[in-house]
Amino acid sequence: MPVVSEWGMEWTRLMVLDLAPGEVYAHTCGECEWIVLPLSGACQVRCRGAAPDPAPQTPAGLKERGAAPAAEPQVFELSGREGVFSGVTDFVYLPRDADAEIRSAAGGRFALVGARCQTRLPARYGPAGKVPVELRGAGHCSRQVNNFAAADAFPADRLIAVEVLTPGGNWSSYPPHKHDEHHPGEESRLEEIYYFEIAPHGDTPGLGYQRVTPSPAGKTDILTEVRTGDTVLIPDGWHGPSIAAPGHDMYYLNVMAGPGATREWLIRDHPDHGWIRGSWDGQDIDPRLPFPGPPTSPSPAPAPAPSSSQPASPAPARTEDHR
């Protein structure tokens, strides 16, 4: 049987599947949109959609829909990757109200990132070669961000998701920041889930640390050691730093969603620590970055063909951001 770990809050969902060779996991999307993201290994995703009938909005602001199954499933072949530090991966978007099967001939680990949503969008394939990869910060705050489902990179209704890779000894999610209140044009209200994988050093398992401090909008207060497979749920609070122990590269997957009508990611830096950005001027990006980037050859096309509306992936670019 597949090993399934699950986490969730009001708006965000995360599942991690460990599939043995030949195993199949059946997934019901329900009221959430989902992305299937290989962490290690390749897989096939079969999605049987639904033809929604919009109904009047419920008091919670979500549409209840009736659905009729599509005649034939859509089949997507994901090339995946060896592991999270070996490069970006292709992925599949699954709409709400759909049913899916995920199978892996050779086995592997796969993340399903989800968000409770209102609008049903089509199932579609995200090629690895079109994932925007950025290098952010400088010096010991250098990190890499794979923006596979950032708000401005891939269409979704509520879901925002990215991967962050931090060389051992560096700090990510710094300066501490928050997005737990709605201030138009300044801050968006978003829950966030962090899922970690930490590289070992020889036979020594990897470890790192995550900090969350209370904000005016909530009382979340966390200082915890994190290892591979750990998660941190952040309904509110100033979050950061994410600290990679020396000798242990850190990976985390961020899943975000919230009640705002506009899908956007606006943050506020902690007033005591925002000055750190200015200290990066004149510093170089950590030479250990980037980690292996997008493949030079196209990923196999699924059926149906990938959407032609996705932007081409730029070369890794330096930007100044919090992650």
Side-chain angles (χ1 to χ4, degrees):
M1 293 290 292
V3 177
V4 183
S5 302
E6 300 182 56
W7 303 268
M9 292 186 285
E10 181 180 1
W11 292 95
T12 50
R13 309 285 190 272
L14 172 65
M15 304 175 69
V16 175
L17 314 177
D18 285 292
L19 300 181
E23 282 191 327
V24 180
Y25 175 75
H27 180 69
T28 299
C29 294
E31 64 177 356
C32 295
E33 58 186 345
W34 297 84
I35 285 177
V36 180
L37 182 80
L39 300 173
S40 63
C43 68
Q44 181 190 82
V45 180
R46 301 173 66 88
C47 176
R48 188 176 295 276
D53 295 320
Q57 298 221 355
T58 68
L62 299 177
K63 293 181 180 179
E64 294 182 349
R65 301 164 183 265
E72 296 294 334
Q74 294 172 275
V75 180
F76 303 90
E77 300 288 344
L78 297 186
S79 299
R81 55 188 167 184
E82 182 179 351
V84 294
F85 297 103
S86 65
V88 297
T89 182
D90 49 358
F91 60 93
V92 165
Y93 174 91
L94 303 175
R96 61 167 291 159
D97 304 318
D99 294 310
E101 287 185 349
I102 302 162
R103 66 179 66 224
S104 178
R109 176 178 293 165
F110 307 94
L112 278 77
V113 298
R116 190 158 61 94
C117 70
Q118 179 177 2
T119 302
R120 186 177 185 278
L121 302 176
R124 59 198 185 279
Y125 175 76
K130 291 187 177 180
V131 173
V133 176
E134 297 180 74
L135 303 183
R136 297 181 176 175
H140 292 300
C141 291
S142 301
R143 57 271 204 182
Q144 173 179 327
V145 184
N146 300 336
N147 290 297
F148 71 96
D152 58 353
F154 186 82
D157 185 39
R158 304 270 180 159
L159 178 62
I160 299 173
V162 302
E163 300 179 299
V164 182
L165 299 97
T166 307
N170 287 5
W171 285 23
S172 288
S173 283
Y174 197 74
H177 61 282
K178 76 181 188 77
H179 41 69
D180 56 13
E181 297 178 291
H182 177 64
H183 295 283
E186 297 180 4
E187 181 180 357
S188 47
R189 181 184 164 196
L190 299 168
E191 298 174 346
E192 187 160 15
I193 300 175
Y194 277 57
Y195 166 80
F196 292 89
E197 294 201 4
I198 314 293
H201 183 77
D203 294 331
T204 304
L207 78 160
Y209 297 89
Q210 177 67 44
R211 183 72 169 117
V212 184
T213 54
S215 71
K219 299 181 179 180
T220 303
D221 193 347
I222 298 169
L223 174 57
T224 186
E225 181 178 293
V226 290
R227 296 176 180 267
T228 293
D230 287 342
T231 61
V232 175
L233 306 185
I234 306 175
D236 50 63
W238 303 99
H239 40 291
S242 304
I243 303 171
H248 299 284
D249 297 334
M250 170 184 282
Y251 164 94
Y252 54 86
L253 171 62
N254 289 140
V255 186
M256 293 168 279
T262 302
R263 179 176 174 249
E264 58 184 352
W265 179 67
L266 302 175
I267 62 136
R268 289 191 181 188
D269 286 342
H270 194 294
D272 292 345
H273 304 287
W275 62 267
I276 194 69
R277 293 189 189 277
S279 73
W280 299 338
D281 296 339
Q283 293 190 55
D284 293 329
I285 289 281
D286 190 310
R288 293 173 290 177
L289 293 174
F291 286 90
T296 56
S297 58
S299 299
S307 169
S308 61
S309 64
Q310 295 300 304
S313 177
R318 174 175 177 164
T319 64
E320 291 191 356
D321 212 315
H322 81 282
R323 293 193 176 280

